Each structure stands twice: as C-alpha cells, then as structure tokens.
Amino acid sequence: MIPTLIGATMLVFFVVAAAPGGIEASLLSAEGNMRPEQRRAREEYLSARYGLKKPLLIQYLRWVNKVSPVGFRTWELDDPEVKAANAIENKGRDALRPKLLAEGFTNNNVDEELRKRIDEKPDAGDMRLNRPAIKVPDLGDSFTRGRKVSALIAESLPITILINAVAIPIEYVLAVVTGVWAARHRGKAIDVVSGTTSLAMWSLPQIWIAVLAIGFLASDRYLNWFPTQGLSDVRADSRPFLPSGLPHIEVTQAGWLQWKYIGLAVLAAVVAIFVRLREPRSATVRWWSALVAVGAPAALVVAFVWGCFNHEYVLTRSRIDWPGSGWFMDFVWHLVLPVLCISYGSIAFLHKLARASLLDTIQADFVRTARAKGVNERVVLWAHAFRNSLIPLITVLVSLLPAMITGSLIVETVFGINGMGRLTYEAIEQRDRELFLSNTLIVMVLTLGGFLLADILYVLVDPRVTYE
Amino acid sequence: MENRFTIKDFFLFSLVIAVLVMVGMSMKQFDRQFDRVLAIEGQNQTLTRDVVALKDQVNAMQLRLEQGVITRSSQGDAPAGNSAVATNTPANNAAGGGRTIAEFTNDPFGRLREAMKKPDYAPGDWYVFNIPVRVGRVTPLVNEDIYGAAIRAKCMETLLTRDPETLKFRPLLAESWDLKPSGQELRYKLRRNVVFSDGTPFTADDVIFTFDWIMNNEVDAARARSYLIEQKVSWEKVNDFEIVFRMEKPYFKFEEITGDQPIMSKAFYSKYKPSEYNELPGLMFGTGPYMLKNPGKWSPGERLELVRNERYWGIKPAFNKIIFTEVEEEAVSTTMFQNGELDDMSTTPDQHDRLKKDPKTMERGNPVEYANMLGGYTYIGWNQKRKGSPTPFADKRVRQAMTMLVDRERMAKELWRGYADVSVGPFSKRGTQMAPDIKPWPFDPKRARELLAECGFADKNGDGVLEDPSGQPFRFTLSYPSKSEIGQRQALFLKDNFARGGVQLDLKPTDWPTLLQELKQSEFDACTLGWSSSVESDLFQIFHSSQVGDGGDNRTFYVNKDLDALIEKARSTANEDERMKLWQECTRILHEDQPYTFLLDRMSLRFMDKRIANVQKARMGLNLMYTEVMPIPWYSAAGQHKYEK
C-alpha cells in the first residue's frame, strides 16, 4: 500500500505544481479584481513561508517526511541555528544588493540572484538527516486558509461521516430488499419496472437532482417540505435539543386536539376491545371492533396532523416551531434531501447487484436441494440463498467508503454543508496543494479501511473464509 | 443452529442501541443546558461589573457636581472636530442649547438618528445576508478577503468612517483628527467613552498595539504591512487618548492608512502568540455594534451569527442579530430568497432580470441596483511591448482607434442588460477624481479606420482584413479569464466589433493562475480584466512608468513622463482640492493616451427583503456599504418583524 500511497500523492503533487502559473498564482486571490498595491507583499511572504523557491522534488520529500510517522526532524524557524543563518543571509544580501543593482540587475530579478549567491544553511523546514525520529504526522498548513490542514479536516470529516453513516445503511437496506424482491419475481412486471427505474436512477446526474430537489421540494412555490440548505435552521440553537414531546399548547387550544376528543377515542377503543373479547367468534364483531379500536386513535392522529398542517400557527411559523420539533428533529429534517441525493445512485447500483447475485445463488444446486427437502420458502431465500450472495455486496462496500468523500462533493456544495466534499472541491478549485494532498491521503486511508472491513465481513458471512 | 441470530435477538439489540442513543442524546441535551447556564452566568458577571462601574461613575459625577461644574454653552460655534465630545458630556445635554445632535456634521450616527425618527422604525428582528463562499476565517489582517471584511465591518471599528454621501471622513473611534498642512503628521484625539464588547475601555494603547501588531513580522499581515512600510509610517502615543502618526514623505492616503484600520483590543489579542493568531480562525473582537457570541471561539462550519453588542458605546443599530449564510449555488440562494430564508443576496444581471419578471419574488423583495463606487471598472489592456520590440499598440492613435471600434453602449445594454455604464477612465464618474468634462470616446468605426490608415494599416488585398505596412494582416490575441460566462460573451462581442473594423481578433480564454503568469511576464497582446477601486484611488501602481515589470502592475509597458510627474505630485499633495485638480489632469492624459480601453463601470445588483427599510442610494452606492465600517441605518420595518415578535 505504501508505494501506492507515494505514487498517488506524487502524481497529485507534481500535477498541481506543473499547472501553469504554479502554486504562487494559486495563492493569490481567485477573483479577477484585487487592489494592486497589496499583491506583491503577499506573494513574497507566502513563498518565503512555504519554501516555494526550492526544487520541486525537495518540496515533495519535505512533504512526505512531514506526513510520515517515521522520518527526520526538521529545522524550525525558532531554532537558534536557523535564526543565525537567516541573520547572516539578510546581512549579506543587504550588502550585496546595491552592488548587483549597479551591475545591471533590475528590481525584478535581483532577489532571485541574491538568493542564488548567498544561501546559508539551515533553512526552516529543512530535514535534519542526522536526527531520525518517530513523530506525530503533520499534514501541514493550508495555503489559501493559513490554517493547519488537520484542523480543517477535523472540522469537516465528522460531518461527512455522519451523513454517510445515515445514508449507507439506508442504501443497503433498501437495495437489498428491492433486489431480493426483484430476483424472486424475475421476469415479471415488478422486476422490469424496478430494473428500469434503477437504471434511470443510476443515470441521473446528482447535481441536477439536487437542484431539482431544492427547486421543487424546498421551494414555497411547490412543496415546501424540506429545508433548502445547511444542517440546521438559523433559529435551532435557541431551541431545546430533543423534541419537547407534548404538542404545543396553542394547537391543543385551537380545538384540534381537545381532551374530550381524546377521551371519546380512548373510550371507543376500549369498548371495541371489550366487545371483541366477549364475542370472539362473530366475524362481524371482529371486523367492526378492529376498525373502531384502530380507527378511532388513528383518526385522532390524522386529525391532529391535518390540523397541524392547516392551523394558522403552523402555516405562519417556521418548521422549527412546530409541535414536537427541536434541534434534533430539525437536524434530521435537514438531512433528508442531502441523504436522498447521496444515496439514490448507490441504491440503484446495489439493487442491480443484489438482484444479480441472488439470482446466481437461487439457481444453485443447494437451493434446489433445500427446496426439495421441503424447507420453508422464506428460510430458503434468506438463510440459504441470500447469505451466500452477500459477498459481492461486501466487496462493493470497499469502494463505497472512499466514495464517501468524492460522492458528497456535489451534494455538500449544493446544500451548503461544510463537509469533506466541499473542502476537497475548494481545495481543487483554489489549487491548495497541502489541503488537496491530505484529502487524497484520507481517501486512500479510507480505501485501506474498506479493504480491512470487507475482509472481516467475509469471515462473518462465509465460514469457509479464514485468515490463518 | 443453536446460536443463530434470530429476530428476537435483533429486536433486543435494537432496543439496547436505542436506549444507548437516547442516553447519549439526553447527555447532549444536558450539556446544552449547561452551556446555557454558563453563558447566563457569564452575562450576569459582566452585568454586575457594568453596574458597579456605572455606580462609580455616578458617584464621581455627584462629587463633581457638589464641587461645582462650569457648563459650557453649546450655542457657540463648537469647532467642528470637537463637537462630538461636547455632545457626550452630560453637562452639555443638560444645558440643552436647542441644537440637535444630528445637525453636527461630524456626527457619525447622523443617518442612524434620522432613521430612528421614521414612523416605521422599530428596533429588533434579524438580518440574514448571503455570502457566496464558505468563510474560512474572520480573524482580522490574516488572509483578508472581501467577505471577511464585510463580517468584520460589523464588529470592529476604525478611527474614521467615510460618509457614503459626502465621501468625507467622519470621526468614529476618534473624536477629532488633525492633519498638518505638510501632510506628514496626523494627530488623533480619541473618544473617552468607548468600550470593547466585554466592557474594557478603549485607549491609545489599543491603537498602538494594533499598528505594532501589523508590523510584527511573524503576523501574517503582509498586505496591511506593505503600506506602512512603503510610506515609512511611525506612530507615538501622546497620552491615553491622543496619538500621533508621522510619515517621511507626504502621501495622500495618510488618513486612509491610519484611520481605516480596524482597531484591535490589546487586552484580548495580546493573549495570543503571533503563530496562534495566524492559525485561529475566529479571533474577531472589537468595539463594534455587533459581536460574535463567543469571541475567539468561532470556527468555520459553525453558523456565522453576530449578536448585538449591548454595551456598544455609540447609538445601537436596529437589528438584534445579523446572520451570514454561505450558499454558493445560485439556484439555491434564489430559492432561499423566494422562501423568505434570505434577506439580502447579490444577483447576476440575467438572474436579476429574471427575478424582476417573477411576480412572487417581487412580492417578497425589492430589486436594488446601484452604481458602486468601490466596484471599479473593466478594461482591455493593450500591451505596447512584447519580447523587447514594440507592438502596433505602442502608437496611441492605434489605441484610440481600437477604443472607437468597441460599441460599449451596446455592450452595456445587451451583455449587462443595462446594468453598467460606459467607463470614462480609471476613476468612478461619481467621485471627484475624474475630470467632469471628459466624454467617453464615441463608437465610430469610420474615424477609427481613418486613424488606422494614418498609421499605415489599410486593406490592401481587399479581403476585409487590414494589413500593416509590411503586408501582414492586423491580427492579435485577446486573453481573458475563462471561468466567467459573461466574460466569454464579452470576448465574442469584441471579436465581432473588431472584425467590423477589419481587425482580426483571436480569443484565448485562460484560467486565472495562467493568466496571472502571462500578465506577470507581459506575455499577451491584449487582455480584458477589471480593477476594483476605493473612494480615492492611486494611479501609481498601474500607470506609473516605474511600475513596468515584475514588481508593479503596469503590465502594458505604458510610459508617459508627464503623467509620471503628475501622479507623483498628486500623491504627495495633502490639500484635497489641489490634489483633485491634479488627478483630473491625469485622467485627461489617460483619456488621450488610452493605455487601456476602459470598458464598463458595472452596477451592483441585489435583491432585498421588503421588510428591510431605509435602503437608500448614496454617492458611494448605498447608504450602507457592506464592506465599509459605518453605522447601520437599515432596520426591519415595524409590524413586519419576522424572527422575533
């Protein structure tokens, strides 16, 4: 794995470095406009701070040394040796500058020449080859934000993991259930319909769906069912964390849920159950009592929900103030659309996969044998066939873990969620080398983690697999 | 088979997990309550401190009253610079000389006071503003961008503020200021009643600390530092409420350099080492009317929520909270605006026109279109020298002809849908730097062709393309940033315009970093770009001949000795009227020379919620420019409050 890691990061590193304009250009404002007076100072400062004047290979080796847990100590800016060297350099350069200018160098290239002629070791950031060490990996500083990359990732990664922790189980459950269903009804209408649908889902671009979802499901022109953006409402911080439980007093006062109706419904249900216990044989009684016992409370709930939706209170106030809402419910509400957009493609894919792999096993001899023995069809399907068709689904999980970051790139940008996807997107756009490299590293670590997880799961589902 | 995982087990497991989750969430809930309690406790403490301080002040006043105070009459002509302090002494208020405070021209809160008199004025409610990027930090000085500045302008204050209408400076944290006629010494007297948002008093030490901090080489503040180093500014504390700045050579931006710098609290910021300061994203703390809930604790990804600073020393603005959302996608911010989730968003010309036609959006909000003085201009830069030899554009007649070939009015009308003005020169027409009598070059292809013919460019072989004296077709490449869609359309428009004049234009959309490098090495024929500007801009960096080459921004090798002399003179003239005359002279030369074809001054377009009242146009743009530190005269109209009723 380590050669792969080195190869991949090297590729990214050199592609970024080889991009026209170089890193320096990317450090400057991404806007077309800037105040002219302030530009040069910034440029100088950054190239000194990140050692951008060093050869590329050296820059890359420095980076590898920094992120690797085993490596060499580096010289720090605060070390007395470095300070002394810098002092000598500055003194020498100041003395030489007028001489060079007199020799015909211009203001533009004199600095470069000075750097070439007077170079005192060590510089800050240089490796101390005589001091090998085991150390905490350092992901470096983000060029465009001037902050530690590790801090940026620590802010963003939990959000992405959380969204995917919700999305991935949903993807698997839905895909497996529909996949098994389609496989059982192979060739029937239901199979064709689900197949076509999943093909369509698989082909729809995420960005389009995301924008459509906001335009139709979150706009008050159409169905204002979900929030447009972010992970919580602007007012959520001042609300209780858990749902407050009791319906809001104003709604109950408005008559939709008065105690007498509750009392009536409970009474009706109790009476129905009582009658049913007295006359268990009569079909009519059974039918009616069930209807009343279930229907009365259900009607109450329906009336309540309907009342909520129509009541002035709910119509005029935002969702965060609805009965039973709170920080947590608001958060769940905000997750719906992003999770939907992240998962629909995977659902389609996993559905096809589950169907195909189940079809393979369902035709196998041992399934036929089980059926012939008269084993219950449900047991045949889930215990014999399904368990044996899990292997491909687990294999796919490996690719799903790194796709957590790449897959949420669009969704996070559209929904304004500050997760890893948005961070990566911005890193690419702004050519923030350190940040982008670290994100690549994380994707690779996740791939590794995926492999490990898959291997463990193989053992769990298939007793034949052992690692000894 | 005995140890099979059954449905019952599954439910059992689910139940256990559910219970664990519930326990976790309840803990979270208690945590939040605990935070709340802590916050309230903190508020209580500071309140007690305030009350004690107030009591002390009352006692001191009583003592002075008993000793007898001489009340100064406010009838007399209080010197303009001093008027603000006069209004702040209780004695003066008691005298009540019949002059309202708003009449003093130096009162920075005049506009706010006027707003408060309006019938629909009502303090309260929130203001939700969209920033189309993810905000990485709000700490001042480090990695400055325009959006960080917009947030900071609400929380940190400067010594001076510009009036959006008169464009003159007014004292904000300063009570008065005095620039010596030589232009080399600037003396600020500071207000005595100013406190930071935690109640600590503001003194000259904070100002000194701010400027020392900028000059600290370990602080990543290269931008702010560059001015101070270039102009060799020094500063000195006279006493706790007076400070003096000195400059080696006079420079007209003296007031701006010193008076437009957000003042940082010494007590707060000196807690941090420079390296920590460079790292921490949320160190925004000042004397402003708004503040972060936990100054110093904010980190990106958290909601950017500013609460009103209840200890604000001046007149408190109306909104209780200002919230910044960070939505990039245009479609999403539009939907949010239509839903009423946003109060203010900027729009592109196409989007603006589309929304204006939409009755439901118009029901919700008001379109706001204004000429923004700080918005700058777009231009085509004509490179006069490539690889050491002059290009056709070295002849000013050619440049004039090129300008006359461009139909800028149609460009404004069709590409910018009328939300742009033909640009006359490097300054806004609304300022006084531009000579008022200059009219933009007309769109006149005929005269352009005549001029080109004078220079030896004529269509000799009748193919519709002009040839230069050596018989080569007149053909050049236009570089422009590839990302902007409107930039692409503009390039096509220009190609068409020039083709009509017999000049062949090749388009070269270039991505921004590459373009920057080409500019740096002057490896281009012509390019379209824009400069942003300030209320009074400096021409030195762009047009002075010493700025040719790597260090400066004179990328087109434009050299005019007369202009050089004028720019130098203007920069060192402290007297504003004289200086304006010199700038105007400069614009005449630039107009004649056309080193750039000045294209358009684009308007700023926004949509604002209907309930945001008192949004007015001013000479600078609007009566509140969001990147500038100025008192906020906007409010949410009475009866329409949305977030807090």
Side-chain angles (χ1 to χ4, degrees):
Chain A
M1 257 340 261
I2 288 182
T4 325
L5 269 176
I6 290 182
T9 50
M10 207 161 170
L11 196 71
V12 172
F13 187 95
F14 284 104
V15 165
V16 174
I23 292 151
E24 271 175 70
S26 68
L27 296 180
L28 298 168
S29 148
E31 305 282 321
N33 300 332
M34 59 199 152
R35 289 226 183 137
E37 300 94 339
Q38 305 158 339
R39 252 230 349 261
R40 187 167 184 206
R42 174 115 189 108
E43 219 175 287
E44 291 270 303
Y45 173 85
L46 287 167
S47 71
R49 180 166 165 185
Y50 297 112
L52 297 177
K53 302 281 188 219
K54 301 255 171 201
L56 275 182
L57 193 65
I58 299 285
Q59 288 186 39
Y60 177 68
L61 287 178
R62 273 184 176 193
W63 182 80
V64 171
N65 181 47
K66 256 192 326 190
V67 297
S68 144
V70 184
F72 301 101
R73 296 252 174 248
T74 50
W75 289 104
E76 302 296 332
L77 205 59
D78 294 333
D79 291 336
E81 290 90 338
V82 177
K83 278 189 177 159
N86 281 349
I88 295 172
E89 261 178 14
N90 286 341
K91 215 169 147 194
R93 284 179 191 173
D94 285 346
L96 193 61
R97 186 186 302 268
K99 228 180 276 171
L100 285 183
L101 285 175
E103 270 173 36
F105 284 99
T106 63
N107 266 325
N108 306 331
N109 53 21
V110 72
D111 284 328
E112 204 173 316
E113 186 64 24
L114 280 172
R115 219 174 282 125
K116 226 181 278 168
R117 292 211 189 168
I118 300 181
D119 191 14
E120 195 64 33
K121 298 281 170 199
D123 290 333
D126 279 351
M127 286 182 265
R128 303 172 73 168
L129 295 178
N130 53 350
R131 295 276 307 274
I134 294 170
K135 57 198 172 47
V136 183
D138 175 12
L139 295 178
D141 295 334
S142 154
F143 284 160
T144 51
R145 288 153 215 258
R147 297 185 54 209
K148 286 236 174 299
V149 170
S150 48
L152 291 171
I153 289 176
E155 278 158 18
S156 309
L157 194 60
I159 295 172
T160 303
I161 289 185
L162 187 121
I163 294 176
N164 283 279
V166 176
I168 291 179
I170 292 179
E171 285 165 16
Y172 265 89
V173 168
L174 274 181
V176 164
V177 168
T178 54
V180 169
W181 194 29
R184 274 178 70 187
H185 301 275
R186 184 185 176 198
K188 297 202 182 125
I190 198 77
D191 184 28
V192 177
V193 169
S194 71
T196 326
T197 318
S198 58
L199 195 67
M201 269 158 67
W202 177 240
S203 340
L204 290 174
Q206 216 175 31
I207 189 159
W208 188 64
I209 290 292
V211 171
L212 278 191
I214 288 174
F216 285 103
L217 297 179
S219 162
D220 70 351
R221 300 296 164 82
Y222 303 98
L223 307 166
N224 189 6
W225 285 357
F226 299 101
T228 37
Q229 181 265 345
L231 280 180
S232 58
D233 192 271
V234 287
R235 280 153 295 192
D237 286 342
S238 57
R239 298 297 187 274
F241 182 74
L242 291 173
S244 45
L246 283 172
H248 199 283
I249 192 80
E250 284 181 49
V251 178
T252 48
Q253 272 173 351
W256 288 105
L257 194 73
Q258 286 176 2
W259 289 110
K260 54 183 174 190
Y261 295 128
I262 298 179
L264 271 176
V266 171
L267 194 69
V270 169
V271 168
I273 291 166
F274 181 74
V275 169
R276 181 172 177 157
L277 289 177
R278 284 293 298 273
E279 293 281 340
R281 300 275 160 75
S282 155
T284 330
V285 168
R286 260 160 61 187
W287 205 87
W288 277 105
S289 64
L291 187 73
V292 173
V294 176
L300 204 69
V301 170
V302 168
F304 175 66
V305 170
W306 191 68
C308 283
F309 272 93
N310 282 282
H311 192 264
E312 186 205 11
Y313 176 80
V314 166
L315 289 181
T316 53
R317 280 191 176 85
S318 69
R319 213 170 273 119
I320 186 94
D321 287 325
W322 281 17
S325 184
W327 192 93
F328 183 73
M329 289 314 283
D330 178 65
F331 177 67
V332 171
W333 211 234
H334 276 78
L335 275 183
V336 174
L337 286 186
V339 165
L340 182 89
C341 291
I342 283 184
S343 52
Y344 76 87
S346 309
I347 291 176
F349 173 69
L350 289 171
H351 163 87
K352 284 296 216 186
L353 194 72
R355 177 184 171 275
S357 77
L358 188 66
L359 275 183
D360 272 352
T361 37
I362 248 175
Q363 285 158 351
D365 288 341
F366 68 91
V367 174
R368 197 182 308 146
T369 313
R371 281 199 181 125
K373 283 199 304 191
V375 178
N376 184 342
E377 178 62 23
R378 195 152 40 162
V379 177
V380 170
L381 189 69
W382 291 104
H384 290 86
F386 176 66
R387 209 180 142 114
N388 279 294
S389 60
L390 270 175
I391 298 276
L393 287 174
I394 290 169
T395 313
V396 169
L397 190 67
V398 177
S399 63
L400 228 56
L401 272 189
M404 230 163 68
I405 289 172
T406 45
S408 49
L409 208 121
I410 290 166
V411 170
E412 283 179 3
T413 310
V414 171
F415 286 98
I417 297 167
N418 290 327
M420 279 303 281
R422 200 173 178 191
L423 193 70
T424 311
Y425 171 74
E426 285 170 0
I428 297 170
E429 201 184 45
Q430 300 166 346
R431 296 199 200 162
D432 192 329
R433 189 184 71 191
E434 308 292 274
L435 187 55
F436 187 44
L437 277 171
S438 302
N439 289 355
T440 317
L441 205 65
I442 286 188
V443 170
M444 304 185 89
V445 169
L446 282 174
T447 316
L448 268 174
F451 279 132
L452 187 71
L453 190 67
D455 285 347
I456 293 170
L457 287 177
Y458 285 151
V459 180
L460 282 185
V461 299
D462 194 344
R464 284 169 302 179
V465 180
T466 53
Y467 301 102
E468 272 165 13
Chain B
M1 288 305 264
E2 300 80 45
N3 290 329
R4 267 247 126 107
F5 188 78
T6 61
I7 298 284
K8 211 174 79 192
D9 293 336
F10 176 74
F11 278 112
L12 205 68
F13 265 111
S14 313
L15 205 70
V16 170
I17 290 171
V19 168
L20 284 179
V21 167
M22 288 308 285
V23 168
M25 293 210 309
S26 321
M27 277 159 70
K28 178 97 186 157
Q29 169 138 325
F30 279 117
D31 256 13
R32 276 168 54 101
Q33 286 169 356
F34 189 63
D35 284 348
R36 215 67 206 269
V37 171
L38 278 186
I40 290 169
E41 208 177 71
Q43 275 169 14
N44 246 331
Q45 267 175 14
T46 47
L47 257 166
T48 322
R49 218 167 52 209
D50 282 2
V51 168
V52 170
L54 215 68
K55 226 167 135 187
D56 287 352
Q57 271 182 353
V58 170
N59 286 346
M61 262 163 62
Q62 210 166 11
L63 211 72
R64 279 182 68 191
L65 269 176
E66 280 161 11
Q67 289 162 350
V69 193
I70 305 157
T71 52
R72 190 173 9 153
S73 162
S74 59
Q75 250 78 300
D77 293 39
N82 248 344
S83 54
V85 69
T87 66
N88 286 328
T89 58
N92 192 24
N93 281 346
R99 241 173 116 170
T100 61
I101 301 159
E103 282 170 42
F104 290 115
T105 48
N106 257 344
D107 175 19
F109 300 104
R111 272 160 219 290
L112 189 48
R113 281 178 219 270
E114 274 163 34
M116 287 166 93
K117 283 186 201 145
K118 298 207 169 177
D120 62 342
Y121 179 84
D125 210 6
W126 304 359
Y127 170 59
V128 186
F129 182 91
N130 187 41
I131 288 177
V133 296
R134 159 163 151 160
V135 176
R137 69 165 67 223
V138 294
T139 307
L141 301 174
V142 188
N143 268 14
E144 300 248 14
D145 65 29
I146 188 163
Y147 301 107
I151 299 163
R152 236 169 6 252
K154 312 282 181 293
C155 299
M156 300 183 73
E157 287 181 313
T158 50
L159 293 171
L160 305 177
T161 172
R162 266 196 209 267
D163 186 273
E165 187 59 52
T166 61
L167 306 181
K168 298 258 188 279
F169 278 117
R170 286 180 170 190
L172 190 63
L173 287 177
E175 159 189 298
S176 66
W177 78 103
D178 178 27
L179 180 63
K180 286 271 148 61
S182 70
Q184 282 159 288
E185 191 183 307
L186 181 55
R187 199 171 275 271
Y188 288 99
K189 280 208 173 104
L190 307 180
R191 279 180 209 270
R192 285 163 190 269
N193 61 336
V194 179
V195 290
F196 285 98
S197 55
D198 65 347
T200 53
F202 155 81
T203 64
D205 287 333
D206 297 306
V207 183
I208 297 282
F209 171 79
T210 304
F211 283 90
D212 285 346
W213 191 251
I214 294 171
M215 288 307 287
N216 186 339
N217 266 323
E218 286 172 47
V219 175
D220 185 3
R223 280 191 184 200
R225 201 150 52 223
S226 67
Y227 273 122
L228 297 176
I229 293 175
E230 196 183 300
Q231 302 300 334
K232 299 200 173 65
V233 186
S234 63
W235 44 90
E236 191 187 324
K237 176 178 158 182
V238 178
N239 60 40
D240 269 357
F241 293 97
E242 198 171 333
I243 188 165
V244 62
F245 288 90
R246 293 197 181 82
M247 214 176 236
E248 225 161 66
K249 274 186 296 178
Y251 178 47
F252 75 100
K253 283 197 171 187
F254 202 179
E255 283 155 317
E256 192 179 311
I257 293 174
T258 52
D260 210 14
Q261 185 61 50
I263 301 299
M264 300 154 65
S265 154
K266 185 179 179 184
F268 181 83
Y269 284 101
S270 56
K271 284 187 294 197
Y272 301 96
K273 280 190 283 188
S275 55
E276 285 173 331
Y277 175 86
N278 292 342
E279 278 286 316
L280 291 170
L283 301 182
M284 180 170 67
F285 178 81
T287 57
Y290 290 92
M291 57 190 273
L292 285 173
K293 252 192 199 157
N294 297 321
K297 301 272 161 49
W298 181 84
S299 66
E302 268 173 58
R303 190 186 319 291
L304 265 169
E305 184 177 304
L306 304 181
V307 293
R308 204 162 72 151
N309 172 11
E310 294 303 337
R311 281 204 200 80
Y312 185 53
W313 59 274
I315 296 182
K316 285 181 197 144
F319 298 110
N320 276 343
K321 271 185 191 175
I322 298 182
I323 289 174
F324 296 91
T325 57
E326 301 157 78
V327 184
E328 281 166 72
E329 200 68 29
E330 187 186 301
V332 180
S333 56
T334 308
T335 308
M336 286 178 72
F337 184 81
Q338 290 167 340
N339 284 359
E341 292 168 50
L342 274 184
D343 295 330
D344 192 336
M345 64 165 182
S346 56
T347 48
T348 61
D350 290 350
Q351 187 191 9
H352 198 77
D353 264 10
R354 204 170 55 238
L355 290 178
K356 266 168 90 174
K357 281 191 204 114
D358 180 62
K360 272 196 151 174
T361 312
M362 290 301 281
E363 223 172 82
R364 170 78 72 186
N366 292 324
V368 182
E369 298 129 19
Y370 59 99
N372 185 349
M373 240 187 117
L374 313 177
Y377 57 93
T378 56
Y379 63 87
I380 313 175
W382 305 109
N383 196 359
Q384 302 187 21
K385 207 195 245 176
R386 253 193 109 163
K387 300 197 175 83
S389 55
T391 63
F393 304 122
D395 190 328
K396 92 176 173 197
R397 287 171 301 177
V398 176
R399 299 195 300 267
Q400 288 170 355
M402 297 315 262
T403 301
M404 282 193 284
L405 282 177
V406 182
D407 189 352
R408 290 176 287 177
E409 275 179 27
R410 220 182 109 200
M411 194 165 172
K413 219 168 79 194
E414 290 179 4
L415 294 182
W416 265 268
R417 296 177 169 262
Y419 301 121
D421 264 339
V422 173
S423 185
V424 191
F427 304 124
S428 164
K429 267 178 285 194
R430 304 164 77 83
T432 35
Q433 277 180 294
M434 198 72 217
D437 52 311
I438 297 180
K439 295 274 164 293
W441 289 88
F443 168 59
D444 193 344
K446 216 175 122 218
R447 222 172 105 207
R449 277 196 108 126
E450 283 165 18
L451 269 178
L452 286 172
E454 268 180 46
C455 305
F457 292 96
D459 187 6
K460 287 165 198 149
N461 54 12
D463 63 351
V465 179
L466 301 179
E467 281 87 28
D468 66 5
S470 66
Q472 292 296 314
F474 190 2
R475 178 172 186 169
F476 69 93
T477 311
L478 179 76
S479 308
Y480 60 96
S482 56
K483 230 181 149 183
S484 140
E485 193 233 329
I486 202 158
Q488 174 70 26
R489 279 193 280 163
Q490 174 177 283
L492 290 171
F493 184 90
L494 288 173
K495 186 181 170 107
D496 179 65
N497 270 198
F498 286 124
R500 282 160 203 259
V503 181
Q504 206 172 336
L505 179 61
D506 299 318
L507 300 184
K508 188 177 170 201
T510 314
D511 94 309
W512 177 238
T514 319
L515 187 59
L516 217 57
Q517 199 179 36
E518 282 181 7
L519 287 173
K520 210 167 156 180
Q521 298 161 349
S522 293
E523 280 296 314
F524 63 98
D525 292 335
C527 65
T528 54
L529 275 174
W531 285 118
S532 65
S533 59
S534 43
V535 173
E536 191 178 339
S537 311
D538 194 350
L539 293 179
F540 184 78
Q541 195 85 6
I542 308 179
F543 294 116
H544 195 276
S545 60
S546 71
Q547 299 300 306
V548 167
D550 192 22
D553 279 295
N554 189 342
R555 308 293 196 203
T556 55
F557 294 97
Y558 170 62
V559 176
N560 183 326
K561 288 294 166 207
D562 294 341
L563 184 73
D564 287 356
L566 271 174
I567 292 178
E568 281 160 30
K569 202 168 162 206
R571 270 162 66 95
S572 58
T573 305
N575 182 307
E576 194 177 328
D577 293 333
E578 277 175 41
R579 189 171 67 238
M580 287 306 161
K581 286 211 185 81
L582 291 169
W583 286 134
Q584 295 186 358
E585 216 43 56
C586 290
T587 56
R588 289 208 177 83
I589 294 181
L590 285 172
H591 181 68
E592 181 59 28
D593 279 358
Q594 289 288 306
Y596 288 172
T597 289
F598 298 98
L599 291 174
L600 300 171
D601 293 346
R602 292 158 299 171
M603 289 169 97
S604 289
L605 305 175
R606 287 157 97 171
F607 254 82
M608 292 179 78
D609 197 276
K610 276 235 157 83
R611 68 176 210 288
I612 307 293
N614 199 26
V615 179
Q616 289 166 5
K617 284 185 191 168
R619 202 150 141 225
M620 206 190 257
L622 291 180
N623 56 352
L624 172 66
M625 298 299 286
Y626 72 112
T627 51
E628 302 292 299
V629 178
M630 48 174 76
I632 300 165
W634 298 349
Y635 56 88
S636 180
Q640 296 179 44
H641 284 200
K642 187 168 157 196
Y643 290 98
E644 287 168 0
K645 291 192 183 172

